[in-house]
Amino acid sequence: MIASFKAGEKPDVADPASRKQLLTIVQPYANHNGGQLAFGPDGMLYIGMGDGGSGGDPHGNGQRLDTLLGKILRIDVSSDTAPYRLPKNPFGNEIWAYGLRNPWRFSFDRGTGDLYIADVGQDEVEEIDFQPAGSGAGANYGWNVMEGDRCFKSPNCKKTALTLPVAVYRHGHGDCSVTGGYVYRGKIEALRGIYLYGDFCSGRIWGLRRVGGKWQTRLLIDTPYAISTFGEDDDGEVYLADYGSGTIFRIGER
């Protein structure tokens, strides 16, 4: 369920009486039920939706265009049109991009407007997807034809017309589930312009950047935390949350 609230007399406190239900999406299973909202550089609200759960996407939701599951959705909530207005999306509905298993999580680079999506894998591969600013309408990220950079349903799957990940990693070293972060735009010069992401199970954090047209990734730190999410403040500093303890940490210099 996607809902909106207006701020009350205090700008940091919502007025419960202003609640407006925008969108409800029926979930067939108990996992992969969404969990990311972000306003894009275009002012539109982007919504990350998992494929509906279970294993292997049994209903093929990732590749279907008649369901909102397994997608990035895009709606306009700035209008008084109830409950929202549909912008000019590629398929004439809420769908902006498709072929996702469980986008956890996505973010826009505050410096460039580029979109980064961390999509959780099934059995073997975790992936990072990328779309330059101003592009990405109708992109197919491949699930469940592919899992990361490997064919999932058939060993000879067709990769044409798919938007392939710019970075992947295999399960191992305790890794099991990617958690997407942000492109760092804070005060630490060595990290500036690097996309930070981690793994929920291992606590490892990587940095990803494009150098000379090629993507390079490297392990930055091995933490003991169950990284469930990252956050970004007004100064471009990046934070992470430890699911186990409920503690929030700020990424800083050693």
Side-chain angles (χ1 to χ4, degrees):
M1 181 180 297
I2 311 298
S4 68
F5 293 82
K6 292 184 177 180
E9 295 181 359
K10 298 180 180 179
D12 293 332
V13 179
D15 176 9
S18 68
R19 181 184 182 279
K20 181 169 70 171
Q21 186 171 322
L22 304 178
L23 182 63
T24 300
I25 302 172
V26 176
Q27 303 290 332
Y29 303 101
N31 56 336
H32 301 179
N33 301 141
Q36 173 69 45
L37 303 173
F39 284 100
D42 55 3
M44 299 295 108
L45 179 64
Y46 290 75
I47 303 165
M49 291 302 305
D51 63 6
S54 188
D57 193 9
H59 302 292
N61 291 328
Q63 291 298 308
R64 288 171 50 187
L65 295 177
D66 62 347
T67 174
L68 302 185
L69 298 170
K71 312 293 189 294
I72 297 290
L73 311 178
R74 178 176 175 260
I75 61 176
D76 182 0
V77 297
S78 64
S79 170
D80 290 332
T81 303
Y84 55 85
R85 187 182 69 83
L86 275 179
K88 292 182 179 179
N89 289 336
F91 307 108
N93 55 14
E94 290 87 352
I95 298 172
W96 175 253
Y98 64 111
L100 293 161
R101 182 173 181 268
N102 191 28
W104 193 270
R105 299 164 54 94
F106 69 86
S107 65
F108 294 93
D109 180 355
R110 65 192 296 166
T112 64
D114 298 334
L115 173 63
Y116 291 78
I117 306 170
D119 198 24
V120 178
Q122 171 76 36
D123 300 313
E124 294 186 18
V125 190
E126 306 298 306
E127 70 180 78
I128 303 296
D129 299 304
F130 171 80
Q131 287 290 347
S135 67
N140 181 356
Y141 295 106
W143 176 253
N144 66 354
V145 175
M146 298 185 66
E147 178 195 19
D149 58 352
R150 76 172 187 119
C151 292
F152 181 77
K153 296 183 68 176
S154 167
N156 299 310
C157 65
K158 294 182 179 180
K159 301 180 182 180
T160 56
L162 300 180
T163 299
L164 300 180
V166 297
V168 299
Y169 66 92
R170 260 61 180 174
H171 290 184
H173 305 286
D175 302 320
C176 78
S177 181
V178 69
T179 299
Y182 292 85
V183 175
Y184 182 83
R185 296 293 178 186
K187 297 179 180 178
I188 305 173
E189 186 174 351
L191 289 180
R192 204 167 295 144
I194 294 177
Y195 174 71
L196 304 175
Y197 64 100
D199 188 89
F200 175 73
C201 296
S202 71
R204 300 201 297 168
I205 299 174
W206 294 267
L208 174 68
R209 72 187 315 171
R210 188 163 50 178
V211 179
K214 295 183 178 181
W215 290 94
Q216 298 178 354
T217 185
R218 65 185 179 95
L219 180 65
L220 298 179
I221 187 171
D222 193 345
T223 81
Y225 310 127
I227 304 171
S228 57
T229 189
F230 288 86
E232 182 186 41
D233 68 15
D234 289 342
D235 296 322
E237 301 299 332
V238 175
Y239 301 76
L240 65 87
D242 175 24
Y243 186 79
S245 66
T247 305
I248 296 175
F249 297 91
R250 180 172 61 86
I251 294 176
E253 291 184 284
R254 284 186 173 183

